[in-house]
Amino acid sequence: MTENPSQTQAPGPGGPPAGSENLLRILTSPWVAQAVYTVARFDIADRLADGPRTSEELAEATGLDPDALYRIMRTLSSFGVFRGLGDRRFALDTAGQLLRDGVPGTQKYSALLFGEETFRSWGEVLHSARTGRPAFDEIYGKTFYDYLSDHPAGSENFNRVMGGAAIVPPVAESFDFGPYKHVVDVGGGTGALLVSILSRHPHLSGTLFDLPEAITQAEQELDGPVRERCSLAAGSFLDRAPAGGDVYLLSRVLHNWGDGDAAAILRNVRAAMSPGGRLLIFERFLPDDDSPHMGKIFDLVMLVVLGGRERSSNEYGALLAETGFRPVREIEGPRNMGLLEAEAI
Ligand SMILES: C[S@@+](CC[C@H](N)C(=O)[O-])C[C@H]1O[C@@H](n2cnc3c(N)ncnc32)[C@H](O)[C@@H]1O
């Protein structure tokens, strides 16, 4: 999102007014995303992994209506998901490859996450606009994480999305863990980041701390030599954080929470630390001004689904200053993500 396309279109004589194509693309994009959700939900990309098939064959395999599936697939052939080969045969195109299970960079689980409960929240966006509170809670009668606690399949999918994020390895590489001994990953999900750090640094041990569902999933999935250096602890960071670390991680945690809860989490982490200990905050930092930035769409997800907010590094700095930390430095990462290092004072 580097430029505003509406400003780059000149109105043609007798043609549509400037910005109308851009606006139409914006207005129809939820439909395209839901079509992608549908093919992800029925594993269509996985079923095309070995080569092209007809929409009739795929409909028979999935129980979908043949004509409906054909119309969905031909639409998505205009968006780089499939390639229509004629006679209702389709192959995977580049974006479609990333809807397959298990391929590096797969976004299949994101398609499911964005397409299900979170999508319903957008239907009640006016509630968030009027109240500043998440539409999700209004629809489901509970917070997003409480909902996941009650829906193991949704929780498993969410943890897969988080654990599979391509941004995990750069964090593990961007900080010098040499002088430290024990890393506590607070809200660390099923441990992808912690495992990646412990694998690179054999002298380190670690503690993974998250809600019981994530820790249960981690217990099932973690193995190998790193497992012996990694203890697992279930609990809520709104109540406490495990003691004993000299480095604490909060990766993509604080943006899920409003300022009051984010400060409470930071205070609990600070209470578990000794002075001089390091806190690494990994987040998508927004610019302080109103310039275009992809993180702003995730800020709306925080508003509508979670009740959190994306922040600038200065805003994180202000939260750190009021909770017993001193910001030390900021390291830019991929995909508009960054690492903010702070010292417990
Ligand atoms: C957006 S995910 C980030 C996961 C991981 N740190 C990462 O970067 O991939 C937020 C994490 O916070 C956890 N979480 C939410 N509420 C929590 C709570 N009250 N106590 C502990 N963990 C919580 C979720 O289970 C989830 O793993």
Side-chain angles (χ1 to χ4, degrees):
M1 204 195 276
T2 53
E3 60 181 3
N4 181 346
S6 65
Q7 289 166 355
T8 63
Q9 289 173 358
S20 71
E21 268 181 43
N22 178 39
L23 190 56
L24 191 60
R25 200 165 38 239
I26 292 169
L27 293 175
T28 55
S29 60
W31 309 343
V32 181
Q34 283 303 95
V36 170
Y37 160 65
T38 306
V39 297
R41 176 77 179 67
F42 288 93
D43 310 310
I44 299 296
D46 301 299
R47 297 172 195 275
L48 290 173
D50 293 333
R53 295 175 72 179
T54 65
S55 48
E56 276 76 8
E57 288 166 350
L58 292 163
E60 197 179 326
T62 54
L64 294 173
D65 178 82
D67 186 54
L69 182 58
Y70 166 64
R71 290 158 69 187
I72 288 170
M73 293 185 76
R74 77 175 175 183
T75 300
L76 292 179
S77 299
S78 304
F79 291 88
V81 178
F82 303 115
R83 260 183 308 116
L85 305 175
D87 297 330
R88 300 193 170 202
R89 278 175 81 75
F90 292 92
L92 286 176
D93 207 341
T94 37
Q97 292 287 356
L98 296 179
L99 290 173
R100 288 170 55 196
D101 247 329
V103 296
T106 180
Q107 294 186 30
K108 179 177 181 180
Y109 308 120
S110 297
L112 298 176
L113 176 66
F114 296 171
E116 288 174 358
E117 297 87 351
T118 58
F119 188 78
R120 274 193 66 194
S121 308
W122 286 99
E124 295 296 333
V125 65
L126 296 187
H127 173 78
S128 294
R130 286 194 181 104
T131 65
R133 290 196 290 275
F136 186 96
D137 300 17
E138 185 70 6
I139 296 170
Y140 293 96
K142 54 183 80 171
T143 67
F144 179 71
Y145 285 116
D146 285 344
Y147 176 91
L148 289 186
S149 292
D150 297 340
H151 293 81
S155 172
E156 195 175 317
N157 187 61
F158 176 79
N159 289 330
R160 274 207 199 117
V161 173
M162 293 301 137
I167 45 95
V168 166
V171 191
E173 283 160 13
S174 56
F175 179 75
D176 177 13
F177 287 94
Y180 300 97
K181 293 192 176 92
H182 192 88
V183 180
V184 181
D185 193 356
V186 179
T190 50
L193 176 57
L194 187 59
V195 164
S196 142
I197 291 170
L198 296 185
S199 315
R200 282 171 173 75
H201 303 283
H203 73 284
L204 287 176
S205 57
T207 301
L208 179 69
F209 182 67
D210 206 291
L211 293 170
E213 306 72 45
I215 294 301
T216 303
Q217 195 176 332
E219 265 160 4
Q220 288 157 5
E221 292 176 4
L222 292 186
D223 56 12
V226 168
R227 177 71 187 85
E228 289 158 22
R229 289 186 276 129
C230 183
S231 51
L232 307 182
S236 171
F237 48 46
L238 295 171
D239 301 330
R240 69 178 187 95
D246 46 12
V247 178
Y248 281 72
L249 308 177
L250 280 171
S251 166
R252 299 186 294 172
V253 164
L254 295 175
H255 74 155
N256 286 169
W257 303 88
D259 286 350
D261 286 326
I265 295 165
L266 285 168
R267 282 198 186 88
N268 287 336
V269 171
R270 176 63 193 85
M273 294 173 73
S274 302
R278 287 298 194 260
L279 169 64
L280 305 180
I281 294 178
F282 193 62
E283 290 286 357
R284 183 178 277 113
F285 298 125
L286 297 187
D288 280 306
D289 61 19
D290 290 330
S291 53
H293 190 280
M294 198 51 200
K296 290 175 183 175
I297 191 65
F298 291 98
D299 180 53
L300 290 191
V301 176
M302 296 306 140
L303 172 69
V304 172
V305 180
L306 281 133
R309 64 189 307 126
E310 302 290 349
R311 299 176 176 88
S312 69
S313 57
N314 285 329
E315 289 171 322
Y316 280 109
L319 279 176
L320 286 167
E322 69 179 67
T323 52
F325 294 95
R326 182 179 67 85
V328 175
R329 65 186 174 130
E330 187 185 331
I331 304 166
E332 274 189 34
R335 295 206 189 174
N336 297 310
M337 305 287 293
L339 187 67
L340 188 57
E341 176 185 344
E343 179 184 3
I345 48 177

